[in-house]
Amino acid sequence: MERWVENPPSDFLQFVPLWVQIKHIPVNYDSEKAITTLGDLVGKAIPVAFDPEKSQRQEYVRAQVKMNIANPLNKSRIINLPKECGSVEVLYFYERVQKRCYHCQSDS
């Protein structure tokens, strides 16, 4: 939510903060820096809900991302890993986005 101003800047009301669940992160890349980078692929990662001291038992990690409303929501990204690790598809699920199926992200 942005406060109204008399002379708004050019990017006024163009960005919205969303919580994103990031799934299928490779075990070796379960770090705050890697998760922030994955969040930056769909927007600008603000905070990441990651505590390296706690066991990561959930199937996803949450990050808050500042999204440009003019861009479509990415459901997944192919990440090329170094050396012989190949590539992996990382999935993104956007929390509380209206008019989208939570599971498949298609328009309702």
Side-chain angles (χ1 to χ4, degrees), residues 3-51:
R3 184 177 287 272
W4 180 85
V5 292
E6 189 171 339
N7 296 315
S10 61
D11 66 346
F12 188 66
L13 299 177
Q14 294 296 310
F15 296 92
V16 63
L18 292 176
W19 280 98
V20 180
Q21 295 177 7
I22 306 171
K23 297 183 177 187
H24 296 171
I25 299 171
V27 176
N28 294 342
Y29 295 91
D30 215 8
S31 68
E32 187 171 358
K33 181 180 177 186
I35 294 166
T36 301
T37 301
L38 291 172
D40 285 341
L41 292 176
V42 294
K44 173 65 179 139
I46 305 169
V48 174
F50 178 77
D51 186 358

Side-chain angles (χ1 to χ4, degrees), residues 73-86:
L73 299 178
N74 292 321
K75 293 187 289 185
S76 65
R77 292 292 292 251
I78 302 294
I79 308 299
N80 295 319
L81 301 174
K83 300 183 183 174
E84 59 276 339
C85 296

